[in-house]
Amino acid sequence: MPRPLTEFARYLRTETTGGIILLAATAVALIWANSPLRDSYHALRDFRLGPEFLHLNLTLGDWAKDGLLALFFFVAGLELKRELVIGELSRFKQAVLPVVAAIGGMVVPAVVALAVGWGTPGIDRAWAIPVATDIAFALGVLALTASNLPSSARVFLLSLAVVDDLGAIIVIAVLFTTGFDLVAVGVAVAALALYAFLQHRRVRTPWLYVPLALITWVAVHSAGVHATIAGVALGLLTRVRADEGEGEAPALRLEHRLQPWSAAVAVPVFALFAAGISVTGDSLGAVFTTALPLAVLAGLLGGKVVGIFGASLLAVKLKVADKPRGMGWRDLGALSLLGGVGFTVSLLIADLALPAETSELAKAAVLIASGLASLLAAVLLLRRSKVHAEAD
């Protein structure tokens, strides 16, 4: 079985391409939604497809948000499970720092957002928007700008982003569950239990797993829980250790097959429908003069850096964790700034948390903050990469 570090490198190479495609999809959405063809964009995004049965008559935008992102979270769940069992997060000292950093990178941005937007309508849900770090975008920027940084920097950021996304998934599950259908919950639990049993019995045929995954997704969606939860649950139940004589474990095999579809199709299509906001002088001005989008900006640009770096510094100084091998504090500071790239999951939470008019401003804040964070981090990472190259 390939070594975990090799798999990190493979994952990063895929995400570099995925990050570029994601950026292109975002640019297309913004141009299209602000062009004379804007009506066709809204008509496509709001076109309904699917049966009324089980509440599946959804818009294409909702299919991207509820359906395609479930694939993204399934891959994230596979990655997290593999890291917890056989990867970097399986060893306590290595696992502590990115976990502590991820917690700091969720708590501090939420507190900053609440402080800046206190008393503003919608902030009781919008505080969750800046808690996320986008895996594809952040790793894409890192791979393009920091080729000379030690591999531990990449391991740290990937581990942090995966744990961060798990936290965002929990936030989505707790805050944005609408209603609760106990029958559908029972079906989802039974389907997940059967999936786990089949994994335990080493059954490999997709003719069982694909229908079972679809049943789980439909049941979770019908239960009133956001359907992406089905993806991460299935990922976490997938076996990550290869048996004797088995070329690779199911989790690794599924990552190889599904990661390109997640990075090149699922996430960019979601971004195409989520990032198409109206950009005018008035709307841009409102982002910087209205409390709620300012809270999102402050959470992502300020709260993320303080939370990730501060929690990491505290953990190392208290000797709870070790600093990543070969990395200095300036390297960690640049990575902390890269954590402010919220993008995919932040856009998802903005869609779920707020009504359409307010969510447009919040999503504009996410795009601006993510763009600034990626540019500033890229500058710092290029400088740090040059320092490491000269040291070698």
Side-chain angles (χ1 to χ4, degrees):
M1 185 178 67
R3 292 169 62 85
L5 191 57
T6 302
E7 285 309 305
F8 270 108
R10 180 200 59 77
Y11 193 88
L12 285 165
R13 286 196 297 272
T14 305
E15 290 300 334
T16 303
T17 306
I20 294 170
I21 297 172
L22 177 58
L23 185 60
T26 303
V28 168
L30 287 169
I31 294 169
W32 191 359
N34 290 279
S35 73
L37 299 174
R38 66 176 67 89
D39 289 343
S40 66
Y41 173 82
H42 293 118
L44 179 64
R45 184 190 65 188
D46 298 335
F47 179 76
R48 289 193 167 271
L49 183 70
E52 289 286 353
F53 180 62
L54 298 175
H55 314 291
L56 293 178
N57 183 230
L58 306 174
T59 66
L60 288 180
D62 286 337
W63 276 111
K65 180 171 62 181
D66 294 354
L68 288 179
L69 276 194
L71 175 62
F72 167 77
F73 279 112
F74 177 64
V75 174
L78 291 172
E79 183 69 17
L80 179 62
K81 175 71 176 290
R82 192 170 59 79
E83 291 310 313
L84 286 169
V85 176
I86 60 173
E88 290 297 322
L89 301 182
S90 66
R91 294 182 291 277
F92 183 77
K93 279 287 188 179
Q94 285 80 7
V96 169
L97 190 64
V99 171
V100 169
I103 293 171
M106 290 183 284
V107 173
V108 177
V111 171
V112 169
L114 279 171
V116 172
W118 190 259
T120 303
I123 195 63
D124 58 321
R125 291 162 69 85
W127 63 264
I129 296 171
V131 303
T133 295
D134 187 274
I135 295 174
F137 219 131
L139 291 178
V141 172
L142 181 68
L144 289 169
T145 60
S147 58
N148 293 312
L149 256 65
S151 59
S152 58
R154 294 165 172 81
V155 172
F156 172 80
L157 183 63
L158 180 54
S159 302
L160 182 151
V162 170
V163 175
D164 194 298
D165 269 0
L166 179 63
I169 290 164
I170 293 170
V171 168
I172 290 170
V174 172
L175 291 186
F176 307 119
T177 294
T178 55
F180 209 65
D181 187 324
L182 288 177
V183 173
V185 169
V187 173
V189 170
L192 288 169
L194 180 55
Y195 182 93
F197 174 76
L198 293 173
Q199 284 288 299
H200 178 70
R201 298 294 295 179
R202 294 348 191 219
V203 175
R204 296 184 58 175
T205 174
W207 295 106
L208 285 175
Y209 286 120
V210 173
L212 198 55
L214 290 174
I215 290 169
T216 303
W217 181 87
V218 171
V220 171
H221 176 80
S222 299
V225 180
H226 196 267
T228 52
I229 305 301
V232 74
L234 289 166
L236 290 172
L237 290 173
T238 303
R239 184 164 56 86
V240 297
R241 292 188 187 277
D243 290 334
E244 186 177 349
E246 191 175 25
E248 54 186 8
L252 196 56
R253 186 167 61 250
L254 286 168
E255 272 191 69
H256 285 154
R257 293 179 180 177
L258 298 178
Q259 176 65 27
W261 291 100
S262 171
V265 179
V267 175
V269 170
F270 166 75
L272 179 67
F273 289 124
I277 59 176
S278 177
V279 178
T280 64
D282 290 341
S283 64
L284 283 177
V287 171
F288 296 99
T289 57
T290 307
L292 193 142
L294 274 175
V296 174
L297 279 170
L300 284 171
L301 286 175
K304 276 288 183 184
V305 179
V306 173
I308 294 172
F309 188 82
S312 300
L313 181 63
L314 189 63
V316 172
K317 293 299 183 184
L318 292 176
K319 302 188 183 303
V320 175
D322 293 332
K323 192 166 56 175
R325 174 178 44 82
M327 278 179 58
W329 287 114
R330 292 182 182 181
D331 301 324
L332 204 61
L335 293 176
S336 300
L337 184 55
L338 196 51
V341 181
F343 211 71
T344 306
V345 184
S346 290
L347 290 175
L348 172 62
I349 295 175
D351 259 335
L352 296 173
L354 301 167
E357 185 176 345
T358 311
S359 73
E360 291 281 296
L361 287 176
K363 288 196 285 186
V366 169
L367 293 177
I368 292 169
S370 297
L372 287 173
S374 60
L375 287 173
L376 292 171
V379 171
L380 292 178
L381 287 167
L382 284 169
R383 292 187 64 177
R384 297 306 304 160
S385 186
K386 184 179 179 181
V387 169
H388 280 275
E390 290 172 351
D392 292 339

